[in-house]
Amino acid sequence: MSTDKPVIVYGASGYTGRLICEYLREFNVPFVAAGRDKARIGEVLDKVPGIDTVDHEIIEVAHDVGPLTELFTGASVVCNTVGPFAQYGGEVVEACIATGTHYLDTTGEQDWLITCDENYGHRMAQAGVLLAPGLAQMYTTGEIAAQLCLEKPGVDTLDILVFWKGMPTIASTRTILVNAALSQAYYLEQNQYVQWPADGALYDVTIPGQHETGLALPWGGTSHPVWFKRDPRVANVKVLGGVFNRPLMLGVPQIVKAVLEQIEGLPKAEQLRVLTEQAAGVMNQMPPREATRINTSLDSVHASGPLGRAHCVIHGNSNYKQTGLMQAYGAYSLLQQPPKRVGFASGCQAFGHRELLGVLRSFGLVMEPTLTVQH
């Protein structure tokens, strides 16, 4: 079951997996579309315009280290979209370690980032390959803004705001509920993880570019505190996220509270079953394809320090398209040259923040950043 294709999109029947395949076609990169249901993958890819113009194949594979190792043998990069990643990511990483394959995924789960950093990063580095979880609009676009601010010497504190407009996918909805119910959220204070209050409280925030204030949550802690924990320039990172739809944000704490009451005292397996059912009740169908005038994103970073101030805002559109493009570009880049860092690394640390910004700009998915620096 090994392949001669250099890239494997694992979870290709999902919303994001399909978009990765679309952008791999743009880069003319041959790929394998893999997952548990070959027929379902075929149905999804048949809807991708021009998919027949790129060399690809569809392979059905069981989610276990053995079959995945067999599939990954001969490939160079795996783009993993099968989440929740804290629940399903370990087998994929183990198969990448066994085969010496670069690993990219689309996670927004902080607990999975920490697991990758602490449990798998060293082993992937020893294998000479990249472990880059979370190469996605949530939260790589915000990381680009943070890295632009960090070009200003004298800043060591990042205050990050991430906002979206649109509907989550089936997989994202499940991940959000599982993460909110079963995982702790951390920010970074003097290079140490500090737990956010577990009270589900909403925070009032000022959204750049509009007069109305917004509501935000720690949103599971996000990826940024993990990515910057070992960056010598950075000591403190706090991140809040939300959606522009204020009534929806007002309902999030109530949804999470109701779910927590339902799973209290249940065994872990039963908790996951209930959470999956609840997520299906919130979102049980693939959302419509994104529209650039509707599905917008905003990433704002205030960077500060004893002798420095910087503020960067990136406005974008089509959140999931940004993710699909960055995944495809990451795979394409890895086929051309080694990453800037092996082992555990963020997208910006692996490929360069200005390189990723350039790709997003070239496909019309983000505006030129607004960067204000105080001297």
Side-chain angles (χ1 to χ4, degrees):
M1 193 174 60
S2 61
T3 180
D4 61 350
K5 305 293 188 295
V7 176
I8 294 171
V9 181
Y10 183 49
S13 64
Y15 191 97
T16 305
R18 179 192 66 188
L19 288 169
I20 296 172
C21 295
E22 288 191 28
Y23 282 109
L24 285 171
R25 173 190 171 275
E26 294 282 351
F27 289 106
N28 196 32
V29 173
F31 66 90
V32 169
R36 293 179 300 173
D37 189 333
K38 185 174 183 177
R40 175 61 180 151
I41 298 171
E43 291 175 5
V44 169
L45 290 192
D46 283 345
K47 298 176 182 177
V48 176
I51 196 64
D52 57 331
T53 63
V54 63
D55 184 15
H56 71 283
E57 61 180 316
I58 299 172
I59 293 180
E60 187 170 296
V61 63
H63 186 81
D64 201 3
V65 175
L68 291 171
T69 298
E70 184 180 351
L71 173 61
F72 296 174
T73 300
S76 297
V77 186
V78 171
C79 299
N80 181 23
T81 69
V82 178
F85 294 88
Q87 186 177 351
Y88 297 114
E91 293 88 344
V92 187
V93 175
E94 289 288 355
C96 285
I97 292 171
T99 56
T101 307
H102 297 295
Y103 173 94
L104 311 175
D105 77 28
T106 59
T107 190
E109 304 162 43
Q110 189 183 78
D111 57 341
W112 173 240
L113 266 289
I114 294 173
T115 296
C116 286
D117 182 24
E118 297 179 352
N119 296 356
Y120 297 119
H122 180 64
R123 295 170 63 196
M124 290 288 276
Q126 284 185 320
V129 291
L130 173 66
L131 173 63
L135 181 60
Q137 191 278 327
M138 188 182 71
Y139 297 97
T140 303
T141 310
E143 188 200 3
I144 293 171
Q147 294 285 0
L148 290 171
C149 287
L150 288 168
E151 292 179 355
K152 161 68 177 175
V155 298
D156 63 6
T157 297
L158 300 174
D159 176 7
I160 302 175
L161 181 67
V162 183
F163 258 68
W164 317 270
K165 184 183 292 183
M167 299 176 64
T169 64
I170 299 170
S172 294
T173 302
R174 184 184 178 200
T175 296
I176 290 167
L177 280 183
V178 170
N179 207 36
L182 302 181
S183 302
Q184 296 176 335
Y186 299 98
Y187 59 91
L188 199 65
E189 186 174 289
Q190 296 304 315
N191 300 109
Q192 300 298 316
Y193 292 130
V194 179
Q195 187 177 347
W196 282 95
D199 54 10
L202 292 164
Y203 292 79
D204 289 303
V205 295
T206 301
I207 302 175
Q210 68 178 48
H211 294 111
E212 184 181 356
T213 60
L215 296 172
L217 290 163
W219 219 264
T222 81
S223 305
H224 303 96
V226 188
W227 286 333
F228 287 109
K229 190 172 189 292
R230 294 185 178 89
D231 189 319
R233 300 169 298 175
V234 179
N236 312 294
V237 181
K238 274 190 174 182
V239 189
L240 292 171
V243 297
F244 289 102
N245 186 328
R246 191 180 183 92
L248 178 58
M249 283 301 299
L250 287 169
V252 170
Q254 283 71 34
I255 294 171
V256 173
K257 181 181 178 182
V259 170
L260 287 174
E261 290 174 351
Q262 283 191 276
I263 66 173
E264 185 177 3
L266 296 177
K268 181 68 174 292
E270 186 65 11
Q271 288 180 334
L272 290 171
R273 183 191 66 79
V274 173
L275 288 167
T276 299
E277 291 179 354
Q278 291 297 312
V282 176
M283 172 59 72
N284 62 1
Q285 60 184 357
M286 189 173 287
R289 191 170 179 84
E290 292 171 308
T292 57
R293 295 174 64 190
I294 298 173
N295 302 107
T296 59
S297 65
L298 179 144
D299 295 86
S300 174
V301 178
H302 284 283
S304 61
L307 296 174
R309 292 288 188 276
H311 181 212
C312 184
V313 178
I314 299 179
H315 293 276
N317 67 76
S318 305
N319 313 334
Y320 286 99
K321 287 182 183 179
Q322 290 182 47
T323 296
L325 173 58
M326 286 191 283
Q327 284 279 317
Y329 172 76
Y332 172 73
S333 177
L334 289 168
L335 299 181
Q336 313 300 320
Q337 60 187 5
K340 296 178 181 293
R341 183 184 300 183
V342 295
F344 178 79
S346 69
C348 292
Q349 292 162 349
F351 305 110
H353 60 285
R354 288 194 172 273
E355 287 81 354
L356 290 175
L357 175 62
V359 172
L360 291 171
R361 294 274 295 138
S362 69
F363 279 82
L365 295 177
V366 300
M367 292 173 56
E368 182 67 26
T370 301
L371 179 61
T372 305
V373 177
Q374 290 183 248
H375 297 281

